[in-house]
Amino acid sequence: ALVDMYAKCGMVDIARHVLEELPIRNVVSWSALIDGYAQEGNGHEALNCFDCMKQEGHSPNDVTFISILKACATIKDVERGKQAHDEIVEKCSLEKNIALGNALVDMYVKCGALSTAKRVLEELSVRDIVSWSALIAGYAQEGKGDRALDCYEQMQREGLFADDVTYVCVLKASANLKAI
């Protein structure tokens, strides 16, 4: 709880010190520290902690993976993201965890791997507004307005309604296409 509290308060160095002083560390304490580094935008340190956690023999859980994907997105390390993706497929069920699926889509989008992000989204058994909006935003940012609008239409066909984030992305895509 101390590691988590310090990490969430932005005092990641103190959180790490607390973790290092623990007589017994586990996936929960490591994940709290990893998430703290990821939240602070320090993806490299988050990945270093992930490696240390695994060296100690702890297996990552869904929370750990979400933080690792966030770290990979921050530093645009698509190769480490792919490694995490492979591990997720091996150890976790994407069917039961939409947040993990959304984190995968978001990581690939932020790393510029839009075709992989789209493939991952299409393979998800459950998609929501977050996963679609991440992909739409990626296409809009890359100037691929036609693909963004195609995704928006597909999202609507699946019965999902846009939120404010989605509308901003759709408007950006429309502006890029000069499609009033």
Side-chain angles (χ1 to χ4, degrees), residues 72-133:
C72 291
T74 299
I75 60 174
K76 302 196 182 325
D77 189 342
V78 73
E79 289 308 313
R80 272 307 283 270
K82 285 179 184 177
Q83 290 172 6
H85 186 177
D86 291 343
E87 214 172 324
I88 289 165
V89 169
E90 179 185 318
K91 295 180 179 181
C92 301
S93 174
L94 286 174
E95 293 175 13
K96 296 179 184 174
N97 192 332
I98 194 161
L100 192 52
N102 290 345
L104 271 169
V105 172
D106 187 61
M107 182 275 299
Y108 282 119
V109 165
K110 288 181 177 166
C111 289
L114 295 174
S115 60
T116 305
K118 187 168 194 302
R119 182 179 47 79
V120 168
L121 182 134
E122 289 171 345
E123 291 172 359
L124 295 175
S125 58
V126 179
R127 296 179 280 270
D128 67 5
I129 192 68
V130 176
S131 44
W132 278 110
S133 292

Side-chain angles (χ1 to χ4, degrees), residues 24-27 30 50 52-60:
I24 298 172
R25 293 181 281 271
N26 61 24
V27 67
W30 275 110
F50 181 62
C52 289
M53 180 191 87
K54 288 176 26 176
Q55 286 172 359
E56 283 189 3
H58 304 292
S59 293

